[in-house]
């Protein structure tokens, strides 16, 4: 290793000078991408009298990563430079995290590109197989909604019609709607089931008026046996679409067809003609409230059951405590923890690991809602691409990857539905968003760079007001 010997200079004994010299050498040995993603996160902390050279990194994962990948090499380089028998150790100094936040921009070329996964949009009926009654954890704050949903699924059109489910974001409304859909499809295969968000409904309606196909549009909806309409609050102020929906709704109800509606607020709080909202009241309205601690814990337990790695009880209770009750947020936390564990080859997940992996995750949840626009802006800035590229349809890897990252973050950090996220990315299909998010999740647990970038972007977004 000639590069190492070249720099031998026993006069260097100040911690910063050692590090500067070491970096020069390391930069020549390690590939630029790996060098930048790892060594930009290391700071010299101290050179002790006992010849211990201490380096600081912002988090546990970086510590594990550096120890695993680069400790031997770094030690060798430092011994060579100083001519002393120095021991190098890596400590976590969380104060470094903020300092580095703005200085660790990496370009997308630095990521090992994964084989491109083709996105399929076929055979998709809109139902996510993971949203079933079996996977829905029951607690005091959601059991009415769940029981009503199950009753409707068992005998569509005969029980509560319409069933109106309302509650805050991430509490399981879409889950229940989809569970009803899947149940009815399985048990009453002859019934026509349609799940639609009210945004999609609106778009379809607008397109049908432009193309003079409103008759076909009407027919599609009037021939359903079960209409599941999600996020109805989106129809506020869209008078023409509301009118159209109202006719469909009446038509179906008069014929004993089941309608299920989900909303982020109660019918009386929806800014819509009372003639319509009072109809919503004619069936059954049920609300879902955020789960209490025990239920949060049960939900987390359920998520971790299917994972191959064990969670220590304190690790789970920590997450249940920290969570505000938004279940989507809890899933995000689990994803990060799992990726962290995978990357650091942990044998089990303990409290410390969870704390490190979710360091900034739960912070400021409520005070700072994150918008898709801010995610797109941050992602563009970070990867150095334009907004047009981000939301366009170019398939070049250095654009596709940031696009997928932005979709993943939009799905995880905002309450926006998949179709709406798709729409914000130049009118992409909701399955595209779903696949992009799944792909990033997978990459996070196999590629340290991807994990670090997601953490970095999340921190940046959380620290910024929109
Ligand atoms: P909403 O439509 O109310 O915003 P979702 O139905 O999308 O919320 O739920 C967010 C996430 O939380 C989904 O992945 C869903 O499966 C999960 N989830 C919500 N409630 C429960 C529950 N009671 N048990 C298990 N998972 C749940
Ligand atoms: Mg929803």
């Amino acid at each position: 290793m000639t590069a190492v010997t070249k720099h031998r200079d026993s006069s260097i004994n100040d911690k910063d000078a050692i590090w500067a010299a070491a970096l020069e050498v390391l930069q020549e040995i390690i590939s630029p991408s790996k060098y930048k993603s790892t060594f930009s996160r290391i700071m010299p902390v101290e050179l002790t009298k006992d010849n211990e050279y201490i380096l600081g990194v912002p988090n546990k994962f970086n510590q594990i990563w550096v120890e695993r990948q680069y400790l031997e090499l770094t030690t060798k380089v430092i011994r060579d430079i100083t001519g002393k028998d120095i021991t190098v150790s890596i400590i976590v100094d969380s104060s470094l995290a903020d300092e580095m936040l703005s200085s660790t921009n990496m370009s997308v070329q630095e990521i090992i590109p994964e084989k491109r996964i083709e996105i399929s949009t076929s055979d998709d009926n809109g139902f996510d197989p993971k949203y079933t009654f079996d996977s829905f954890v029951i607690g005091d704050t959601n059991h009415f909604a769940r029981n009503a949903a199950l009753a409707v699924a068992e005998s569509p059109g005969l029980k509560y019609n319409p069933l109106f489910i309302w509650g805050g974001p991430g509490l399981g409304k879409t889950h229940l709607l989809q569970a009803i859909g899947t149940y009815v499809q399985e048990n009453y295969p002859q019934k026509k089931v349609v799940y639609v968000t009210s945004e999609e409904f609106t778009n379809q309606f607008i397109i049908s008026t432009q193309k003079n196909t409103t008759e076909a549009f009407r027919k599609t909806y009037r021939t359903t046996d079960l209409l599941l309409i999600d996020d109805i609050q989106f129809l506020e102020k869209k008078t023409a679409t509301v009118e159209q929906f109202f006719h469909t709704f009446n038509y179906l109800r008069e014929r004993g067809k089941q309608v299920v509606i989900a909303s982020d607020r109660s019918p009386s709080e929806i800014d819509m003609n009372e003639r319509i909202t009072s109809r919503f009241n004619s069936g059954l309205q049920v609300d879902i409230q955020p789960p209490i601690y025990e239920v949060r814990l049960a939900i987390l337990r359920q998520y971790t059951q299917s994972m191959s790695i064990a969670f220590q009880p304190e690790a789970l209770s920590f997450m249940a405590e920290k969570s505000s009750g938004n279940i989507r947020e809890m899933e995000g936390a689990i994803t990060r923890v799992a990726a962290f564990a995978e990357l650091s080859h942990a044998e089990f997940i303990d409290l410390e690991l969870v704390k490190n992996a979710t360091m900034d995750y739960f912070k400021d949840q409520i005070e700072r809602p994150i918008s898709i626009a801010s995610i797109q802006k941050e992602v563009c800035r970070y990867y150095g691409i334009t907004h047009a590229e981000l939301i366009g349809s170019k398939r070049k890897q250095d654009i596709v990857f940031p696009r997928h990252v932005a979709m993943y973050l939009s799905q995880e950090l905002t309450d926006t539905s998949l179709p709406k996220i798709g729409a914000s990315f130049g009118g992409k299909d909701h399955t595209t968003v779903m696949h992009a998010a799944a792909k990033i999740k997978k990459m996070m647990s196999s590629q340290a760079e991807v994990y670090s970038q997601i953490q970095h972007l999340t921190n940046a977004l959380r620290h910024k007001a929109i």
Side-chain angles (χ1 to χ4, degrees):
M1 219 174 269
T2 50
V4 178
T5 33
K6 187 172 87 187
H7 282 268
R8 185 190 290 271
D9 178 358
S10 54
S11 68
I12 299 178
N13 51 20
D14 152 69
K15 75 168 165 64
D16 294 318
I18 293 175
W19 192 237
L23 284 182
E24 242 181 82
V25 178
L26 289 163
Q27 199 163 10
E28 287 178 46
I29 305 172
I30 301 165
S31 81
S33 64
K34 288 187 177 149
Y35 171 81
K36 200 173 167 198
S37 63
T38 301
F39 288 89
S40 59
R41 291 188 168 79
I42 308 177
M43 294 276 195
V45 176
E46 198 189 343
L47 176 61
T48 70
K49 287 195 189 73
D50 311 325
N51 279 342
E52 192 189 0
Y53 189 59
I54 303 170
L55 294 168
V57 289
N59 66 45
K60 182 79 184 166
F61 170 68
N62 294 137
Q63 182 188 34
I64 294 166
W65 177 251
V66 174
E67 281 175 351
R68 240 165 225 283
Q69 307 289 326
Y70 299 106
L71 189 59
E72 219 181 283
L73 176 66
T74 309
T75 307
K76 193 168 183 308
V77 169
I78 288 173
R79 283 182 182 171
D80 242 337
I81 288 168
T82 57
K84 288 181 190 153
D85 193 19
I86 286 182
T87 331
V88 179
S89 53
I90 315 290
I91 61 157
V92 176
D93 179 352
S94 44
S95 67
L96 294 175
D98 289 339
E99 213 171 297
M100 290 175 181
L101 200 60
S102 51
S103 62
T104 52
N105 287 5
M106 285 177 277
S107 83
V108 72
Q109 284 82 3
E110 293 162 20
I111 305 152
I112 313 109
E114 247 200 5
K115 204 168 150 279
R116 206 168 74 195
I117 297 168
E118 282 308 324
I119 287 162
S120 80
T121 47
S122 58
D123 79 336
D124 180 70
N125 54 17
F127 295 113
D128 188 328
K130 73 176 198 186
Y131 294 154
T132 61
F133 285 110
D134 284 341
S135 66
F136 192 84
V137 177
I138 305 168
D140 284 351
T141 58
N142 64 22
H143 78 279
F144 280 120
R146 181 264 181 197
N147 291 347
L150 185 59
V152 159
E154 282 169 348
S155 36
L158 300 174
K159 279 269 169 62
Y160 317 114
N161 203 8
L163 172 63
F164 189 102
I165 303 173
W166 64 275
L171 299 183
K173 302 181 296 295
T174 297
H175 188 133
L176 285 179
L177 252 56
Q178 299 242 336
I180 297 172
T182 305
Y183 187 100
V184 171
Q185 264 188 344
E186 273 173 21
N187 293 282
Y188 303 94
Q190 74 287 4
K191 287 200 191 292
K192 184 178 165 194
V193 181
V194 171
Y195 167 90
V196 69
T197 66
S198 63
E199 295 127 281
E200 283 172 306
F201 185 87
T202 305
N203 293 339
Q204 289 169 8
F205 175 61
I206 292 170
I207 291 168
S208 80
T209 53
Q210 286 165 351
K211 291 192 177 163
N212 266 329
T213 53
T214 37
E215 213 32 64
F217 171 82
R218 229 174 262 151
K219 197 163 165 228
T220 307
Y221 283 99
R222 292 190 180 184
T223 50
T224 59
D225 297 296
L226 168 62
L227 175 62
L228 304 154
I229 182 148
D230 208 348
D231 291 318
I232 195 89
Q233 75 279 350
F234 182 81
L235 291 188
E236 281 183 337
K237 301 194 178 72
K238 299 196 170 54
T239 329
T241 313
V242 168
E243 206 55 37
Q244 188 59 228
F245 173 70
F246 189 53
H247 291 313
T248 307
F249 174 82
N250 286 333
Y251 185 94
L252 293 177
R253 271 212 46 222
E254 279 160 18
R255 285 158 185 77
K257 309 295 186 189
Q258 180 73 49
V259 180
V260 183
I261 302 166
S263 160
D264 73 353
R265 62 203 87 142
S266 72
S268 57
E269 288 167 311
I270 298 180
D271 188 3
M272 220 181 258
N273 194 321
E274 225 191 280
R275 179 171 59 99
I276 295 166
T277 52
S278 64
R279 288 294 174 100
F280 296 162
N281 289 331
S282 60
L284 178 72
Q285 287 173 46
V286 278
D287 69 323
I288 307 185
Q289 295 297 326
I292 58 164
Y293 172 82
E294 283 75 12
V295 179
R296 299 204 291 274
L297 194 58
I299 291 170
L300 287 168
R301 261 200 212 110
Q302 174 176 282
Y303 284 142
T304 58
Q305 254 161 24
S306 58
M307 294 167 62
S308 52
I309 188 160
F311 279 67
Q312 288 196 336
E314 314 82 80
L316 278 188
S317 40
F318 175 80
M319 275 194 274
E321 243 165 62
K322 285 278 175 184
S323 161
S324 62
N326 180 328
I327 299 161
R328 194 175 298 116
E329 172 202 300
M330 297 205 291
E331 283 181 335
I334 290 270
T335 301
R336 275 145 207 265
V337 169
F340 191 105
E342 185 89 26
L343 291 168
S344 53
H345 305 279
E347 277 157 24
F348 52 85
I349 292 171
D350 61 8
L351 182 60
E352 203 200 342
L353 192 149
V354 166
K355 277 187 179 163
N356 283 305
T358 59
M359 208 190 280
D360 285 295
Y361 189 72
F362 291 117
K363 222 161 48 187
D364 294 341
Q365 271 304 305
I366 298 150
E367 294 83 349
R368 285 177 188 162
I370 295 170
S371 67
I372 293 187
S374 62
I375 291 172
Q376 292 183 334
K377 208 168 142 203
E378 193 63 33
V379 168
C380 286
R381 198 186 64 78
Y382 187 70
Y383 294 111
I385 67 170
T386 66
H387 186 255
E389 285 172 328
L390 186 78
I391 67 163
S393 46
K394 270 201 205 125
R395 307 285 271 139
K396 263 172 60 198
Q397 182 60 26
D398 55 357
I399 293 171
V400 170
F401 178 75
R403 188 182 297 145
H404 288 177
V405 166
M407 286 179 176
Y408 167 77
L409 291 170
S410 302
Q411 190 238 302
E412 197 194 64
L413 303 176
T414 76
D415 299 318
T416 320
S417 66
L418 295 180
K420 198 166 178 195
I421 296 173
S424 312
F425 281 83
K428 306 229 169 19
D429 197 80
H430 78 276
T431 49
T432 307
V433 182
M434 216 160 83
H435 290 293
K439 189 178 164 185
I440 295 299
K441 264 191 198 176
K442 202 165 142 248
M443 288 176 89
M444 265 169 88
S445 56
S446 58
Q447 299 186 38
E449 282 82 359
V450 178
Y451 178 91
S452 308
Q453 293 180 6
I454 297 288
Q455 287 290 75
H456 173 91
L457 285 163
T458 308
N459 291 352
L461 287 160
R462 288 243 192 274
H463 284 91
K464 237 179 234 167
I466 44 165

